[in-house]
């Protein structure tokens, strides 16, 4: 939450209340964002009656808190992942539809010009049929989350793949518009209660393959994406995009306009100025992929999502 607030509030947005059962977390936030504070979401909803809420709580709380916000008539911006189960995600989507309220996920890559450009090119058929995608993310996630709720599976719903790895799965599915039909996974917990390293191979609904690797005990952060099409390949690494066409032409794109933050997009969506760029359905697709990966890792067999 503090990360999003440090980026600045969009025009017309005012923080009217902050909620956290941890007094230390509240103090750290009010230090640069003064506001009324509450120990529970119920107190905040009753006393402040906000127009919208931004939920950045432990994953197991996402469903109940989202449903409570909708019941109170609040629009919802939710940190990823959407929940800890597909069943919960379905309940949240149904509640959103019944309420008619705006709901989005804070998948910031949806607002990054690189991925917006890539999605537009794919939708326009710029390079022919999609054949394969490979995505990789390495982080010192195990060290950063040691001793926290993120390494408690009953609260977090999973480890590196479910948490940071969620971004990799989401952006591959969102940019291509494809859905996974089968996943095969190998997981290594590295002596913790949750997955730290993971490799997932999925078949998509057009026959293409998606490979996602996450290294949660890495020495450094590193992210890269490769998209393979009939007529070209697109490589994204360190905010640089390289396109290599089948006829051998290479092009590099390095300069992009400013990104749009999840909070800025959400504010515009609530005002009716543009659609929310990461709807709950994106989170539902990621949750199904992740649950399938965990099932496959447990059984040693491919898991069908069909």
């Amino acid at each position: 939450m503090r990360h999003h607030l440090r980026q600045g509030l969009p025009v017309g947005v005012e923080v009217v209340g902050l909620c956290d059962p941890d007094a230390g977390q509240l103090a750290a936030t009010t230090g640069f964002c003064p506001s009324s504070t509450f120990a529970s979401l119920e107190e905040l909803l009753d006393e402040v009656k906000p127009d919208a809420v931004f939920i950045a709580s432990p994953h197991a709380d996402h469903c109940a808190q989202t449903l409570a916000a909708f019941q109170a008539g609040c629009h919802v911006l939710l940190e990823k992942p959407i929940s800890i189960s597909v069943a919960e995600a379905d309940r949240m989507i149904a509640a959103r539809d019944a309420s008619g309220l705006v709901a989005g996920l804070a998948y910031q890559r949806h607002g990054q010009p690189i991925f917006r450009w890539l999605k537009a090119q794919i939708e326009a058929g710029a390079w022919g049929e999609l054949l394969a995608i490979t995505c990789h993310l390495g982080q010192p996630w195990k060290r950063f989350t040691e001793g926290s709720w993120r390494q408690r599976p009953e609260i977090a719903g999973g480890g590196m793949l479910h948490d940071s790895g969620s971004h990799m799965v989401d952006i591959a599915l969102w940019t291509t518009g494809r859905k996974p039909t089968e996943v095969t996974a190998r997981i290594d917990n590295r002596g913790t209660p949750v997955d730290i390293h993971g490799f997932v191979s999925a078949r998509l609904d057009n026959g293409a393959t998606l490979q996602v690797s996450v290294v949660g005990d890495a020495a450094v952060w590193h992210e890269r994406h490769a998209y393979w099409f009939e007529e070209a390949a697109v490589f994204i690494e360190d905010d640089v995009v390289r396109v290599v066409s089948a006829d051998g032409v290479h092009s590099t794109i390095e300069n992009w306009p400013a990104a749009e933050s999840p909070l800025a997009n959400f504010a515009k969506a609530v005002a009716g100025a543009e659609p929310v760029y990461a709807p709950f359905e994106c989170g539902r697709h990621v949750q199904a992929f992740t649950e399938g990966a965990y099932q496959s890792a447990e059984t040693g067999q491919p898991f069908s999502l069909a």
Side-chain angles (χ1 to χ4, degrees), residues 127-297:
W127 306 296
E129 184 180 358
L130 174 71
L131 304 177
I133 314 168
T134 58
C135 300
H136 164 78
L137 178 64
Q139 289 179 332
W141 189 91
K142 177 176 179 285
R143 175 163 53 87
F144 290 159
T145 61
E146 186 175 3
S148 76
W149 61 263
R150 292 181 189 274
Q151 289 195 25
R152 295 178 58 186
E154 73 277 12
I155 298 176
M160 172 71 172
L161 179 64
H162 193 243
D163 190 31
S164 291
S166 169
H167 289 290
M168 300 296 98
V169 179
D170 165 69
I171 204 63
L173 300 180
W174 179 70
T175 53
T176 62
R178 306 263 55 108
K179 304 297 180 293
T181 60
E182 181 183 272
V183 294
T184 303
R186 294 291 181 269
I187 297 294
D188 183 352
N189 285 17
R190 299 282 289 170
T192 75
V194 296
D195 56 286
I196 302 298
H197 296 174
F199 177 81
V200 187
S201 177
R203 183 163 296 280
L204 303 180
D205 53 8
N206 73 327
T209 58
L210 166 61
Q211 294 182 343
V212 177
S213 66
V214 294
V215 181
D217 199 10
V220 296
W221 175 89
H222 184 246
E223 176 181 335
R224 65 176 181 268
H225 310 258
Y227 289 71
W228 305 87
F229 302 90
E230 289 179 308
E231 300 167 12
V234 180
F235 306 106
I236 302 171
E237 187 169 7
D238 298 330
D239 295 327
V240 175
V241 177
R242 294 186 298 118
V243 180
V244 182
S245 64
D247 58 7
V249 175
H250 292 235
S251 57
T252 302
I253 308 171
E254 298 177 313
N255 298 312
W256 302 90
E260 181 177 58
S261 71
L263 191 53
N265 166 255
F266 179 66
K268 292 176 182 178
V270 169
E274 64 181 49
V276 65
Y277 64 35
F280 276 7
E281 282 79 2
C282 292
R284 202 268 186 203
H285 297 318
V286 174
Q287 188 64 39
F289 179 100
T290 307
E291 284 188 28
Y294 289 155
Q295 289 283 345
S296 172

Side-chain angles (χ1 to χ4, degrees), residues 3-228:
H3 166 74
H4 293 284
L5 291 175
R6 287 191 183 101
Q7 295 180 352
L9 293 174
V11 175
V13 174
E14 177 187 2
V15 177
V16 295
L18 296 168
C19 166
D20 200 301
D22 187 327
Q25 293 292 340
L26 279 177
T29 307
T30 55
F32 66 89
C33 182
S35 181
S36 300
T37 60
F38 302 89
S40 72
L41 177 62
E42 291 73 22
E43 291 179 53
L44 185 150
L45 294 174
D46 287 343
E47 296 189 30
V48 178
K49 295 180 171 42
D51 298 315
V53 296
F54 189 171
I55 298 173
S57 57
H59 308 155
D61 295 331
H62 285 188
C63 181
Q65 291 176 346
T66 297
L67 297 182
F70 286 149
Q71 184 66 33
C74 299
H75 306 288
V76 175
L77 179 60
L78 178 66
E79 260 297 351
K80 57 77 195 163
I82 188 170
S83 63
I84 61 171
S85 73
V86 171
E88 285 189 348
D90 287 339
R91 289 179 62 197
M92 295 159 75
I93 291 170
R96 176 207 61 192
D97 292 346
S99 71
L101 295 161
V102 174
L105 290 159
Y107 277 128
Q108 72 270 20
R109 284 165 180 76
H110 290 223
Q112 292 176 350
I114 286 175
F115 293 108
R116 286 185 165 187
W117 166 84
L118 178 61
K119 181 176 176 62
Q121 294 294 310
I122 293 172
E123 289 177 346
W127 306 296
E129 184 180 358
L130 174 71
L131 304 177
I133 314 168
T134 58
C135 300
H136 164 78
L137 178 64
Q139 289 179 332
W141 189 91
K142 177 176 179 285
R143 175 163 53 87
F144 290 159
T145 61
E146 186 175 3
S148 76
W149 61 263
R150 292 181 189 274
Q151 289 195 25
R152 295 178 58 186
E154 73 277 12
I155 298 176
M160 172 71 172
L161 179 64
H162 193 243
D163 190 31
S164 291
S166 169
H167 289 290
M168 300 296 98
V169 179
D170 165 69
I171 204 63
L173 300 180
W174 179 70
T175 53
T176 62
R178 306 263 55 108
K179 304 297 180 293
T181 60
E182 181 183 272
V183 294
T184 303
R186 294 291 181 269
I187 297 294
D188 183 352
N189 285 17
R190 299 282 289 170
T192 75
V194 296
D195 56 286
I196 302 298
H197 296 174
F199 177 81
V200 187
S201 177
R203 183 163 296 280
L204 303 180
D205 53 8
N206 73 327
T209 58
L210 166 61
Q211 294 182 343
V212 177
S213 66
V214 294
V215 181
D217 199 10
V220 296
W221 175 89
H222 184 246
E223 176 181 335
R224 65 176 181 268
H225 310 258
Y227 289 71
W228 305 87

